Amino acid sequence: MKTLPYLKKDDRGIMTLYVEEKPYMMLAGEIHNSSSSSLGYMKEKVWPELRGLHLNTLFVPVAWETVEPEEGSFDFSIPEGLLEQAREEKIRLVFLWFGLWKNGESTYVPEWVKKDTRRFVRACYPGGLLSDTITPLCLSAVQADQKAFRKFLNFLKEKDSEQRTVLMVQVENEIGFLGGDRDYSDLAEHEFRKPAPQALIKSLGLEENEEITWEQLYKDRAPEMFMAWHYACAVEMIASAGKEEYPLPMYVNAWLNQFPDRPGNYPSGGPIARNLPIWKAAAKSIDIFAPDIYLSDFDAVCREYTLEGAPLLIPEARRDAVSASNVFPAFAVYHTIGFSPFGIEDFSPEKELGQQVRADRELLEQLQIDELAFVYNGTGPYLARSYKLLDSMKELYFQYRGTKALQGYLQKNEHEKGTILRLSNCDLELTYLRHSSAEPGCAGIVIEDSENSFFLAGCNTEIRLTPHGNVPGKHLTVLTMEEGTFENGRWRRERVLNGDERYHKVLGCEPSVLRFRFCVEDIRS
Ligand code: DGJ
């Protein structure tokens, strides 16, 4: 029997997903929310669009409302069909459990939950106005979700222990309370006035104190921290029950905060970076806290989420062409476990040629996603090339990752002109090329396979090699510059770029790879 996928630090201390005992580079996409509610739709409209994109993994929702239409009676025919389809397509799955919470609301709960607001208590805005979110303080709701999630993981154990098509499970989706800083229902009011839980105080390393209130502990941030604690405790109840059945890696994803940065504008209490200490204290069964990156400062988000060696996973990424270049630093600099643009069935090369698709403005406004992040015109072919390239380099990537021989770069904003990377025996002057917003950005990955040779893969970068520090007395000669591909992890050279082409040391907007060999001579003596 194949082993269960698992997360473990590799020899260099980098958290890695192992699939069939090998490190796994997750080159993925997430489908639209409603696609997987119909197996027929998946067959006709989704899978055909994915072929050619070089995905090895698909992120697919499973809705509580479809698997437990009546309380206590379960129907897993949809996830079962999804497993079969994925196996036919030779693609692994990450299932997204749309349970009690999806984008801060409770729209995926079954009808019997929706209809019973007494048993399944709604969070309230000040003044008692009911929200569309079931409060995480409602134990019977959390227990009902927990029961369904347990059944779901048990189903996966039964149906997938042989093949291990499923790699991970996302617990809920972009959790938190929208439209207010906290729940003001009677239940929450009562709890908020009580002293903060001792388990929390202990996890903060504070002396036990039976009296300290949320407000004393967190001042202005108390409402959000109160929500974070209760959401994280609820997630822990749900995830730990699932893991008892079938211990797949599990993660939660975050709707990120941005201007105007106030809880409620984004789901209050969700696993945004500044809330992670409380999430980590309460939700010990969660392996990864993952950002959905629609913001333009990709680098800043990756940095925040990898502090203190935390593992990164990007379950949702922008749909514009910059995703095809961001994927390089995501792996090279931040060692992400996976990268996954959203709405991936829109990306097929055939479908999008010449189309300028703009997403529904109202939806984007509601989700605080900037319109550009949703424009996928032309992204598919670029992304497919990046994925193909990275997939072909994965052996080399895992061999050198976490050593000085592997580096990555990306242009963080349009004012940045370039960067200089110091390699073992030369400096690499990388100038960022001007490009249109319909093209990938300037980014790449550099792997030195010896002191005097390296591979550079990426896009929109002009390359210059100089001796270290470019000081007089040393002379660098490029011996060869080659185009090529990797086959079974080995370089297969194609054109040797010499003559007129030797002046053109450039990675263009199409993601590609070059190999350089060079020598450095001391010319002082
Ligand atoms: C983020 C959510 O997590 C996704 O499910 C989806 O709603 C996208 N936003 C936008 O469509």
Side-chain angles (χ1 to χ4, degrees), residues 33 102-103 173-174 292 294 316 342 363 367 369 374:
N33 297 161
K102 155 79 173 75
N103 293 35
N173 187 85
E174 293 195 347
D292 290 345
Y294 293 96
E316 292 183 40
F342 182 77
L363 167 81
L367 299 178
I369 294 177
F374 243 61

Side-chain angles (χ1 to χ4, degrees), residues 151-167:
K151 283 268 182 205
F152 175 50
L153 269 287
N154 185 274
F155 151 82
L156 289 181
K157 180 181 167 183
E158 267 179 29
K159 298 289 174 191
D160 198 36
S161 287
E162 285 281 319
Q163 310 223 26
R164 311 290 196 192
T165 300
V166 182
L167 302 181

Side-chain angles (χ1 to χ4, degrees), residues 75-107:
D75 172 3
F76 290 111
S77 51
I78 289 204
E80 187 164 357
L82 293 168
L83 280 176
E84 280 160 18
Q85 293 181 344
R87 287 173 190 153
E88 261 168 44
E89 300 289 333
K90 299 197 173 16
I91 283 192
R92 308 267 185 172
L93 295 179
V94 171
F95 275 130
L96 319 176
W97 175 248
F98 285 6
L100 267 175
W101 299 292
K102 155 79 173 75
N103 293 35
E105 294 183 330
S106 301
T107 55

Side-chain angles (χ1 to χ4, degrees), residues 100-404:
L100 267 175
W101 299 292
K102 155 79 173 75
N103 293 35
E105 294 183 330
S106 301
T107 55
Y108 278 88
V109 299
E111 280 186 24
W112 52 271
V113 177
K114 282 187 187 133
K115 286 178 181 158
D116 193 346
T117 56
R118 282 178 195 278
R119 182 170 160 210
F120 304 114
V121 181
R122 300 296 168 113
C124 292
Y125 304 112
L129 188 67
L130 284 197
S131 75
D132 288 330
T133 304
I134 291 175
T135 173
L137 287 101
C138 176
L139 189 61
S140 42
V142 178
Q143 282 169 338
D145 183 324
Q146 181 195 44
K147 190 168 152 209
F149 189 66
R150 186 188 277 284
K151 283 268 182 205
F152 175 50
L153 269 287
N154 185 274
F155 151 82
L156 289 181
K157 180 181 167 183
E158 267 179 29
K159 298 289 174 191
D160 198 36
S161 287
E162 285 281 319
Q163 310 223 26
R164 311 290 196 192
T165 300
V166 182
L167 302 181
M168 287 194 183
V169 176
Q170 176 184 297
V171 188
E172 313 295 335
N173 187 85
E174 293 195 347
I175 216 163
F177 183 49
L178 264 184
D181 57 357
R182 73 168 171 90
D183 174 11
Y184 289 84
S185 63
D186 291 347
L187 191 60
E189 279 299 274
H190 177 69
E191 203 56 37
F192 189 66
R193 299 292 153 220
K194 283 193 352 206
Q198 288 308 301
L200 169 63
I201 310 259
K202 213 167 140 205
S203 75
L204 295 174
L206 300 176
E207 262 180 44
E208 281 190 29
N209 179 341
E210 304 284 334
E211 297 303 320
I212 192 161
T213 64
W214 284 96
E215 275 162 327
Q216 285 163 334
L217 202 53
Y218 286 112
K219 315 270 176 314
D220 291 355
R221 297 193 61 215
E224 179 168 26
M225 301 319 282
F226 171 77
M227 294 312 284
W229 174 258
H230 286 288
Y231 276 115
C233 289
V235 162
E236 178 57 21
M237 277 181 64
I238 296 163
S240 60
K243 277 198 170 178
E244 268 170 30
E245 297 301 314
Y246 190 48
L248 279 172
M250 293 189 189
Y251 72 95
V252 288
N253 63 330
W255 167 333
L256 299 180
N257 48 315
Q258 57 179 296
F259 179 81
D261 187 358
R262 288 193 204 99
N265 286 343
Y266 60 87
S268 177
I272 60 167
R274 62 176 176 242
N275 294 350
L276 291 185
I278 211 164
W279 270 87
K280 287 181 183 170
K284 299 258 193 266
S285 301
I286 295 300
D287 301 289
I288 306 176
F289 298 93
D292 290 345
I293 314 186
Y294 293 96
L295 302 179
S296 54
D297 199 345
F298 182 79
D299 189 65
V301 177
C302 292
R303 228 175 316 123
E304 272 194 312
Y305 272 83
T306 49
L307 288 178
E308 295 166 8
L312 181 67
L313 169 71
I314 305 167
E316 292 183 40
R318 296 169 69 97
R319 295 149 55 85
D320 56 344
V322 78
S323 267
S325 48
N326 282 345
V327 65
F328 290 102
F331 282 102
V333 181
Y334 295 107
H335 308 148
T336 190
I337 281 162
F339 184 89
S340 169
F342 182 77
I344 195 72
E345 63 266 58
D346 297 337
F347 283 52
S348 98
E350 291 78 35
K351 197 169 164 186
E352 60 191 337
L353 277 182
Q355 276 183 40
Q356 180 64 39
V357 180
R358 295 227 165 238
D360 178 341
R361 291 220 158 89
E362 208 185 312
L363 167 81
L364 295 181
E365 218 166 89
Q366 182 124 32
L367 299 178
Q368 290 188 311
I369 294 177
D370 85 76
E371 211 173 280
L372 281 179
F374 243 61
V375 174
Y376 62 78
N377 185 28
T379 305
Y382 291 128
L383 186 75
R385 282 185 74 122
S386 297
Y387 275 13
K388 187 173 180 204
L389 192 51
L390 281 163
D391 185 55
S392 72
M393 294 175 76
K394 62 179 184 287
E395 285 85 358
L396 211 62
Y397 169 75
F398 285 117
Q399 182 181 347
Y400 290 109
R401 182 182 70 154
T403 73
K404 285 190 184 145

